Amino acid sequence: MSAVLSQAAATPEGAAFVIQTEPGSYRDRNGCVFYRGNRIFRGLSKAALENWEALQRAPFFEANRKSGKIVDTWSVDPQKEGLAEGSWAGIVEHARIPFISYPYEWPFGMLKDAALLHLDLMCQALACGMILRDSSPYNIQWNGVHPVFIDIPSFAPLRKGEPWVGYRQFCELFLYPLMLQAYKGADFRPWLRGRIDGIPAEDMRRLMSARDLLRPGVLLHVVAQSALQQRYSSKGVNVKSQLATAGFDKSLIKRNVNKLADLVAKLVPPPIKTEWSDYDRTHSYDEKEFQRKLEFVRAAAATRRWRLVWDLGCNTGTFSRVAAEHADYVVAMDGDWMAIERFYQHEKAGAASRTILPLVVNLADASPNQGWRGAERKGLAERGRPELTLCLALIHHIVISANIPLADFIDWLASLGTAVVIEFVGRDDEMVQILLANRDDQYDDYQPDIFRQLLAARFDIRAEQDLKSGKRRIYFAEPKAKL
Amino acid sequence: MRIKPLALATPLVLSLMFAAMSTTEAHAYLDGGSGSMLLQLLLGGVAGLAVAAKLYWYKLLSLFGIKPKAAASEEAEAERATQR
């Protein structure tokens, strides 16, 4: 398949020169991503190299590269970098994305904005006689709340009479998931996580009720597409050259892309109120105690500069923003999609941070390794270990709601090698009482002294403080120094 | 909400248009799906329907063994283009 470039690392210094191919970069044989140390390279075939050169000449590329909508990419000289060219015609380097994420972790707004970016780039490419060869949200990553297109080889010159080959994929991976949430109120994330290629037209068609057929875009993009796909699925039809003969023109693609952009722009999630989306207003802290908690978190975060911070159970991001003052990058996660949606929209409209990434993650069932050989999409911890983790107003949900033993959770935190700011929510706190109200209390481990004991066994506690008159206790702890 | 009667009729019409066609390989790694590519004719609006009509007309002619000169040379060019 690809030229696997490997140089054995006999020494720790040599390890920086070890080349690792990206196991998820295999579908398009024209190129392959590989890493060396902290740098990301891509080998290009002769055809891909020609496309890359054409892309660099296209006016829209430079403008979008500067504005951050297309990932910064530049050609490298293999000799200078000490890279064996192997069978590649050329090599480019990409700017690094701080933390990789996948569409099954994005709230509605992020998938929608990714779709709009994709369509926008399609429009601009078409104007320069180019097109995007595929339409996958996995080609889009994020710098904070700013989407960035990363699949450079996807740009190719548009041949005369060629239709938009990526249209079907656009529907399966962008449009149908958005419609599923907008029209049916169903969370699209499990669908995308469960099927790496997205929702097929046939399945989408079956989900549509009579009422849905009247909704924008359904008759054409779902019903007609499903019908036509079924009609032509088993025929060895070369539709592409037939269309070219009949004079298929890029203006047809343009019209479709523009109408899709109008359609996607109007899609919004239904106004459901999830349990925690109102947290900012309804959390159980009074103002004074909230400020004390805030100050503790701020003081802990300020002890040093952190390369990567995780805010677990971040809700609408108040503490993520505090951590971001002292961090290169913050990944803010919560299992409540509406809270993350609010977080994203608020951040986008406000400071529009490039360093805070909101994601929908259920910690009890976080994204695993997936895809071909379980290496195409990576599990959460594989994508970057945090140096600081915030676990505020979280532990009672982990132990009581999710039934994860306290020792296990602390063990997991310790395995990440991260410092923690963690809040123990006592049994006389209103929130815990609500959780225990309808459950058998099997949580013998959920006691403040047991918690402190478990924490102190794996971490060095640097600071601790009572909150809410002793109902909660917050800790700042660092991993035990290795001997 | 505009219901498009055309959207219901056209899939039927299009499906009647295309009889057995030649088998050649697609040249992108991604399968665009024959049905999805044909749908783009309808999504192309009036201009798209014009192309669809032309497709149908060529198909009809080929059933009678007639290959219009213009169509023959265009097809040859398209074959060369896709083979590049």
Side-chain angles (χ1 to χ4, degrees), chain A residues 196-247:
Chain A
I196 206 156
D197 289 326
I199 306 176
E202 196 179 83
D203 286 11
M204 192 65 187
R205 169 70 186 93
R206 295 208 187 96
L207 293 172
M208 298 287 105
S209 66
R211 166 86 184 83
D212 296 320
L213 296 185
L214 302 176
R215 297 190 195 270
V218 176
L219 269 182
L220 279 174
H221 301 292
V222 183
V223 179
Q225 184 158 192
S226 169
L228 284 171
Q229 275 181 13
Q230 284 183 304
R231 175 73 180 83
Y232 293 97
S233 59
S234 55
K235 296 180 169 13
V237 169
N238 182 6
V239 168
K240 277 173 81 178
S241 60
Q242 297 287 334
L243 286 173
T245 312

Side-chain angles (χ1 to χ4, degrees), chain A residues 422-469:
Chain A
I422 186 163
E423 182 183 13
F424 183 79
V425 184
R427 282 168 169 272
D428 33 2
D429 188 282
E430 316 81 77
M431 291 298 175
V432 176
Q433 283 172 349
I434 294 172
L435 290 179
L436 287 174
N438 283 316
R439 282 183 170 85
D440 283 340
D441 190 347
Q442 55 166 356
Y443 312 102
D444 297 334
D445 55 350
Y446 197 76
Q447 303 289 349
D449 41 351
I450 297 182
F451 175 80
R452 196 185 187 288
Q453 208 178 349
L454 289 167
L455 188 66
R458 305 302 302 270
F459 293 87
D460 290 330
I461 298 176
R462 297 280 180 241
E464 51 194 295
Q465 184 176 302
D466 270 347
L467 294 171
K468 286 176 81 179
S469 321

